[in-house]
């Protein structure tokens, strides 16, 4: 049984709280879980999963480094446009366009199913 | 004379049939092989089975994905080879680069800054070869934050020797 199996509940919590850039890697008898989640509340949820397994936090075989990016992912639906998405998510249109300039070449052309990064609210 | 020829023909036909049957005997199909390779890996570690991508074509199994060590890369290949019907294994698994840690002094200041951010006092921080040891007394309500403070500094290990009150 690898450490990744022992700490599967923590990995599951990260995945269900919008983690991006998740890396789970065992080295020298310690499991390193790193990644970024959108908010502090998400980070709290991942840590709660760890504490549930080990309330006194005495286990030294896990290093959990979760950053808070302030970003989340939005899946475009039919009828959406960048202006509305920005407004509905509390960010400026410019910020939304900047955060997605690598994948959205023309802000007037987004399509259902496309994944946009919603940057940290300004 | 007739009997000998007759018997030889029958024996000859029997041999050809046997060869034909043996050549036609099929092992498990590709989808079954893939399933069985996955199950073999999962028996040891379900998490590892999830990390490895397996595809099988005419009994040749190709493995891809990233694993933690050369030893694991080799073990997965052996697991695949041991499955019935596998003719050969193409091992395209990559080994993740090792994690590198900052200097002890860097880790220590990061832990201390994080503890301050969480308004935690009275905890001593020792860092040796990347391993952080926390000592002192901590209120249970602040325990998780103290551990977060240490983990966020990206240490090699965190040893919690704090007394929890």
């Amino acid at each position: 049984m690898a450490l990744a199996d022992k700490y599967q509940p923590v990995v599951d919590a990260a995945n269900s709280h919008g983690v991006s850039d998740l890396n789970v890697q065992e080295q020298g008898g310690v499991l390193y879980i790193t990644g970024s989640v959108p908010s502090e509340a998400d980070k709290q949820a991942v840590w709660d999963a760890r504490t549930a397994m080990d309330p006194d936090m005495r286990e030294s075989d896990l290093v959990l480094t979760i950053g808070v990016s302030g970003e989340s992912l939005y899946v475009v639906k039919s009828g959406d446009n960048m202006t509305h998405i920005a407004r509905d998510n509390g960010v400026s249109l410019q910020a939304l366009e900047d955060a997605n300039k690598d994948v959205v070449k023309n802000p007037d052309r987004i399509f259902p199913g496309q994944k946009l990064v919603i940057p940290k609210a300004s | 004379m007739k009997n000998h020829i007759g018997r030889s023909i029958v024996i000859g036909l029997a041999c050809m049939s046997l060869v034909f049957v043996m050549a036609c005997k099929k092992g498990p199909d590709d989808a079954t092989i893939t399933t069985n390779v996955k199950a073999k890996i999962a028996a040891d570690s379900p998490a590892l089975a999830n990390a490895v991508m397996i595809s099988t074509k005419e009994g040749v199994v190709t493995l891809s994905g990233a694993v933690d060590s050369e030893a694991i890369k080799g073990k997965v290949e052996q697991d695949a080879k041991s499955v019935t019907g596998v003719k050969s294994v193409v091992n395209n698994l990559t080994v993740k680069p090792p994690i590198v840690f900052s200097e002890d002094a860097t880790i220590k200041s990061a832990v201390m800054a994080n503890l301050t951010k969480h308004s935690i006092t009275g905890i001593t921080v020792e860092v040796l070869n990347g391993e952080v040891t926390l000592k002192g007394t901590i209120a249970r309500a602040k325990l998780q934050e103290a551990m977060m403070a240490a983990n966020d500094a990206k240490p090699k290990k965190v040893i919690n020797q704090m007394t929890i009150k």
Side-chain angles (χ1 to χ4, degrees), chain A residues 2 23-31, chain B residues 48 51-52 63 65-78 91-99:
Chain A
N23 189 42
V24 180
Q25 184 168 348
E26 183 175 333
Q27 183 172 311
V30 177
L31 188 70
Chain B
L48 179 57
V52 175
L63 304 169
V67 295
D68 294 348
S69 69
E70 283 291 343
I72 291 173
K73 177 177 171 172
K75 173 80 169 58
V76 173
E77 183 176 326
Q78 289 312 308
N91 191 346
N92 290 336
L93 290 171
T94 58
V95 177
K96 291 186 183 182
I99 299 169

Side-chain angles (χ1 to χ4, degrees), chain B residues 80-116:
Chain B
K81 282 184 172 155
S82 73
V83 168
T84 306
V86 172
K87 295 206 173 85
S88 64
V89 175
V90 175
N91 191 346
N92 290 336
L93 290 171
T94 58
V95 177
K96 291 186 183 182
I99 299 169
V100 175
F101 306 97
S102 304
E103 297 292 314
D104 288 350
T106 307
I107 295 172
K108 182 169 176 172
S109 12
V111 176
M112 302 202 59
N114 291 343
L115 286 169
T116 303

Side-chain angles (χ1 to χ4, degrees), chain A residues 2-3 5-7 10 29-31 47 49-64, chain B residues 132-134 143 147-148 150-151 155-162 164:
Chain A
L3 285 176
D5 295 298
K6 173 178 172 182
Y7 288 111
V10 179
V30 177
L31 188 70
W47 269 86
R50 178 191 186 160
T51 307
M53 292 177 68
D54 176 26
D56 285 1
M57 313 278 268
R58 297 293 179 200
E59 297 273 38
S60 59
D61 57 1
L62 171 64
V63 174
L64 179 60
Chain B
V132 175
T133 301
L134 300 175
L143 172 62
M147 291 302 283
M148 257 193 222
N151 278 250
K156 192 185 243 183
K157 188 185 269 199
V158 178
I159 299 159
N160 175 16
Q161 290 186 356
M162 297 181 287
I164 306 166

Side-chain angles (χ1 to χ4, degrees), chain B residues 30-56 61-65 76 79-83 86:
Chain B
D30 289 341
T32 303
I33 291 172
T34 296
T35 300
N36 292 344
V37 171
K38 194 124 202 156
K40 179 93 205 219
I41 300 167
D44 250 343
S45 167
L48 179 57
N50 280 339
V52 175
M53 278 152 288
I54 303 157
S55 68
T56 306
V61 172
T62 300
L63 304 169
S64 52
V76 173
D79 280 351
K81 282 184 172 155
S82 73
V83 168
V86 172

Side-chain angles (χ1 to χ4, degrees), chain B residues 108-121 123 125 142 145-146 149:
Chain B
K108 182 169 176 172
S109 12
V111 176
M112 302 202 59
N114 291 343
L115 286 169
T116 303
K117 258 197 290 193
H118 286 280
S119 310
I120 292 170
T121 55
I123 300 301
V125 180
K142 295 296 260 179
E145 286 173 66

